[in-house]
Amino acid sequence: MAKGNSDLGEQALSKAFEVGLSTQLDAADDLDAEIRTNPIALMQGELESANIEGRGLVIKNELRTEQLSVKTDGISIDPLKAAFGNIELTRPTNASAAVELTEVDIERACNSDYIQQKLKSLDVTLDGRPVRLSAEQIDFSLPGNGQVAIAASVVLDETGERQQVAFRATPAMGPQGHEVVLNDVQIEPENTSEPLTQSLLAAAKDLLDLHNFTLSGMTLQLQSLDVQQGKIALQMQAYIEKFPGGK
């Protein structure tokens, strides 16, 4: 709910923002929206700003964010629809977003049904011949030094042969600004197949695209990426054409 001495209009809009956003979430430990406006501006459909703070938010594709903070520029909405709790933007707006992901949350996402389906029956070339492989249980950790550590059990579909893939890499922003790339790959000693590692890295390139995790009506552009021990902090710009949950 809105904080401080906001008037009833701000409180009602804040609640509408919370309800609209919650319809796009699978779960939330805490969600708080704060709208700033004044009665005259509100009658004209103009909001000064919207700040959203969340903790433990689970969005589509089973990705949990430990913390989320979104701050928008001025917002233009349809005031008549807003009076009935429906937030409809009359023009796109920009926002800045800060997201924190823990290694536990990322590992859970890696083993979600959504990701696991994308890692089944991958077409790869092994020893000069085409084969299909499926990656099973994925272990993910953030050991520090800006690195991620990934280990997975890989099964060749045709023979059932199982091999281990394990490597460390340094995440960085991709050239398009909406993806994360893995650089400086270091093969771990327990790794049994470098070619299979390269195949899994190729699959990871598609999975690390922010388009997989955005809400409808929103485009994200990565601004910075800070990989720390146990967590990753992302700073992003958001271009919002439609408020999540709006009609």
Side-chain angles (χ1 to χ4, degrees):
M1 295 291 292
K3 301 182 183 72
N5 296 318
S6 300
D7 63 20
L8 293 178
E10 288 179 335
Q11 293 182 36
L13 283 171
S14 297
K15 185 60 179 179
F17 264 70
E18 290 177 15
V19 171
L21 184 57
S22 67
T23 63
Q24 301 292 304
L25 303 172
D26 292 332
D29 294 340
D30 186 52
L31 181 61
D32 183 271
E34 183 176 7
I35 305 302
R36 290 299 183 193
T37 187
N38 62 70
I40 295 176
L42 181 56
M43 290 178 61
Q44 298 171 341
E46 298 295 329
L47 309 182
E48 179 182 330
S49 65
N51 295 335
I52 298 170
E53 301 285 341
R55 185 176 60 82
L57 307 184
V58 182
I59 64 174
K60 67 176 185 177
N61 305 339
E62 301 176 64
L63 178 66
R64 181 184 185 275
T65 63
E66 178 66 16
Q67 294 183 10
L68 170 70
S69 176
V70 178
K71 300 181 185 299
T72 74
D73 294 339
I75 303 175
S76 296
I77 63 173
D78 184 319
L80 293 179
K81 292 184 178 180
F84 294 95
N86 177 24
I87 306 299
E88 182 176 300
L89 302 183
T90 56
R91 68 168 182 262
T93 190
N94 295 308
S96 60
V99 178
E100 182 180 295
L101 306 171
T102 68
E103 62 183 4
V104 173
D105 293 334
I106 297 172
E107 182 173 272
R108 184 185 296 115
C110 289
N111 291 288
S112 67
D113 290 342
Y114 173 77
I115 297 296
Q116 287 293 308
Q117 286 300 317
K118 288 182 172 288
L119 294 176
K120 289 189 180 300
S121 298
L122 298 173
D123 292 313
V124 303
T125 300
L126 185 63
D127 297 329
R129 64 185 183 88
V131 298
R132 285 189 171 184
L133 64 83
S134 298
E136 296 188 338
Q137 175 66 35
I138 297 175
D139 297 323
F140 180 94
S141 63
L142 295 164
N145 297 319
Q147 293 184 316
V148 299
I150 298 173
S153 179
V154 175
V155 179
L156 300 181
D157 291 1
E158 183 179 339
T159 64
E161 178 187 354
R162 188 179 300 272
Q163 298 197 39
Q164 280 297 119
V165 167
F167 60 88
R168 291 192 179 202
T170 302
M173 291 190 300
Q176 304 302 316
H178 58 72
E179 71 281 316
V180 176
V181 296
L182 298 177
N183 296 329
D184 304 322
V185 177
Q186 303 170 17
I187 304 298
E188 298 281 41
E190 64 268 28
N191 196 315
T192 59
S193 176
E194 185 171 346
L196 293 183
T197 302
Q198 297 303 322
S199 300
L200 197 59
L201 283 168
K205 181 179 179 181
D206 293 330
L207 297 178
L208 293 173
D209 192 319
L210 293 181
H211 291 154
N212 288 320
F213 303 106
T214 53
L215 300 175
S216 61
M218 181 183 299
T219 302
L220 295 176
Q221 191 79 6
L222 190 59
Q223 300 292 304
S224 68
L225 173 69
D226 184 16
V227 182
Q228 306 169 25
Q229 185 171 4
K231 66 181 182 180
I232 296 178
L234 305 171
Q235 294 285 340
M236 296 176 285
Q237 287 295 116
Y239 180 75
I240 307 171
E241 297 180 274
K242 175 184 176 184
F243 180 73
K247 297 181 176 64

